[in-house]
Amino acid sequence: MEGLKDFKEINSCPVRYVLAVNDALNAISGKWKMPIIASLSKGKMRFKDMENNIGKITPRMLSKELKDLEMNGIVNRIVHNSTPVLIEYELSDSGKDLTEVLNAMIKWGLKHRKVNLEAVMS
């Protein structure tokens, strides 16, 4: 209930509303962050598996974006003490909360594409 109260307060103040939107966008903006989050929404993954799932991302860019997502508390990096060392990535609780946003974006994207295709075809 506390989150709902905070949302109502922010929603009634244009400055706080815009700042909250900016906070969210700063954490997830960029070409590759949402595809990484989408990939990890299916569960823990190793670096190479993510690289294979996300077309055209370079290892350097994937590494950079994972570090940014980890710094923002969206992704957890898990180092297993084994030989060879096994490193996995997973969404944090905060990252898992983004799956609602991701699903809404997918629904909107499919609807938007359909509307645009119908406009082009007519």
Side-chain angles (χ1 to χ4, degrees):
M1 288 302 255
E2 187 66 32
L4 185 60
K5 181 183 174 194
D6 289 344
F7 179 75
K8 285 180 181 178
E9 287 177 17
I10 287 172
N11 205 23
S12 67
C13 175
V15 173
R16 290 183 67 202
Y17 185 84
V18 170
L19 287 174
V21 169
N22 282 336
D23 288 345
L25 288 176
N26 285 336
I28 62 170
S29 67
K31 180 178 180 179
W32 300 111
K33 287 190 177 119
M34 287 308 282
I36 291 168
I37 292 165
S39 184
L40 289 173
S41 71
K42 304 305 177 197
K44 290 180 186 177
M45 289 194 141
R46 295 174 68 177
F47 187 92
K48 195 68 174 170
D49 295 329
M50 270 188 285
E51 189 180 357
N52 291 335
N53 281 349
I54 304 167
K56 299 182 181 178
I57 191 169
T58 64
R60 183 176 180 203
M61 183 57 69
L62 179 56
S63 178
K64 178 196 171 298
E65 296 291 62
L66 282 168
K67 286 177 186 171
D68 285 352
L69 288 167
E70 185 180 4
M71 185 182 71
N72 280 304
I74 296 169
V75 169
N76 293 326
R77 182 175 185 259
I78 305 155
V79 180
H80 297 278
N81 191 11
S82 61
T83 305
V85 174
L86 172 66
I87 300 172
E88 292 181 308
Y89 297 88
E90 69 179 357
L91 292 177
S92 66
D93 289 341
S94 180
K96 289 174 187 171
D97 289 343
L98 281 171
T99 57
E100 279 184 57
V101 175
L102 186 63
N103 289 336
M105 289 174 66
I106 290 167
K107 287 177 187 173
W108 180 86
L110 292 171
K111 182 179 175 185
H112 184 70
R113 181 185 303 156
K114 183 180 177 187
V115 168
N116 283 340
L117 282 174
E118 288 171 356
V120 169
M121 296 301 205
S122 61

